Amino acid sequence: MPKNLNLLFLLFFFPLLISAQSFNTDEFNTKRLKINQTGMTVLGAWAIGNLAYSGVAVFNNTGENKAFHQMNIGWGAINLALAGAGYLGSRDAATSLSVLESARELESMKRIFLFNAGLDIGYMATGAYLMERSKNTGDEKRSDQLAGFGKSIIMQGGFLFAFDLVMYFVHQNHGKKGLYNLVSDLSVSPDGFRVVMNFYIHQPFVQYFQKSEHIAKMCSFSEH
């Protein structure tokens, strides 16, 4: 078979193989976005709780405790804005994606949460540094401020670290429910998107592909 005809065969036949798998990408992506919406709701509730509690407590405390609640208010405002933007983005995102597009979106989301978890460790380390620094300043007012800020940053970083890890593993588990049966050896890099897809093909077609020199160079087959 001519080389260009082999290529055309792959382009038109493989999508049929993909669609033949019992995998509904629309349903999968709808669930993925629902997971994000639930996560953003939790984050928003945490932010509102911080704003409400610390918004009152900041007027009833002084020194270190006052600084603690001041920082909580700042974190609450930022987290509420992020939660709102994330929720709206998930609500309006497309769900009718191909298998590869679905895999790309899932892996991208997992990477974001994993990267954020790394940032959260940095936040907690910064909070610990501020608390330690508060012990070495001669100004009592400055010392209270640093200690209060440090405690708040550690608390906020700890919550976000747990939140981001839970979201990562929830998405990971969601991917195992069908998508990872079709897609394996998947990686995303700045240079591109690499994926190996698993197909279940009847033996006559496997024999045909193996006999085709050009297709055999592009694909590998194993019997199950």
Side-chain angles (χ1 to χ4, degrees):
M1 179 179 289
K3 183 176 181 179
N4 60 343
L5 192 56
N6 278 331
L7 182 58
L8 288 174
F9 189 86
L10 283 174
L11 290 175
F12 286 100
F13 186 77
F14 269 29
L16 294 177
L17 291 174
I18 298 173
S19 63
Q21 309 295 324
S22 58
F23 182 76
N24 187 323
T25 56
D26 187 76
E27 180 180 326
F28 175 86
N29 289 305
T30 298
K31 176 63 175 177
R32 172 177 59 81
L33 295 174
K34 286 292 184 182
I35 291 172
N36 278 346
Q37 290 175 16
T38 300
M40 294 305 103
T41 300
V42 171
L43 181 60
W46 168 258
I48 292 173
N50 276 274
L51 289 170
Y53 179 72
S54 290
V56 174
V58 72
F59 296 107
N60 300 321
N61 287 274
T62 59
E64 180 180 322
N65 290 335
K66 184 179 182 71
F68 173 81
H69 291 295
Q70 286 175 331
M71 182 61 74
N72 280 348
I73 292 172
W75 278 90
I78 294 172
N79 286 334
L80 184 60
L82 292 174
Y87 186 92
L88 293 175
S90 296
R91 187 185 64 179
D92 299 331
T95 58
S96 299
L97 306 176
S98 68
V99 171
L100 291 180
E101 290 170 335
S102 299
R104 184 184 293 112
E105 290 297 321
L106 178 64
E107 291 303 307
S108 176
M109 186 57 59
K110 286 168 54 183
R111 280 173 174 266
I112 289 173
F113 285 117
L114 202 58
F115 176 77
N116 286 344
L119 290 180
D120 300 333
I121 295 175
Y123 298 149
M124 290 186 284
T126 300
Y129 167 77
L130 292 179
M131 290 187 65
E132 185 62 29
R133 186 179 175 187
S134 71
K135 302 174 183 178
N136 302 317
T137 179
D139 187 338
E140 182 178 356
K141 183 178 180 180
R142 179 61 174 167
S143 176
D144 287 343
Q145 185 183 55
L146 290 174
F149 285 174
K151 287 182 179 179
S152 173
I153 294 173
I154 289 174
M155 183 185 75
Q156 298 293 336
F159 170 81
L160 292 175
F161 180 72
F163 170 81
D164 288 324
L165 282 186
V166 168
M167 291 297 292
Y168 173 86
F169 285 112
V170 170
H171 278 295
Q172 173 84 353
N173 184 62
H174 179 53
K176 293 179 180 179
K177 297 177 180 179
L179 181 65
Y180 289 163
N181 293 330
L182 296 177
V183 178
S184 63
D185 194 18
L186 184 151
S187 61
V188 183
S189 68
D191 298 327
F193 180 76
R194 179 179 182 274
V195 62
V196 174
M197 299 197 69
N198 303 317
F199 301 99
Y200 301 94
I201 308 174
H202 291 298
Q203 187 63 31
F205 290 112
V206 173
Q207 293 174 351
Y208 166 77
F209 287 150
Q210 290 174 334
K211 289 179 180 179
S212 173
E213 177 182 355
H214 300 299
I215 295 180
K217 289 179 180 179
M218 299 174 63
C219 309
S220 62
F221 303 93
S222 60
E223 298 183 7
H224 297 284

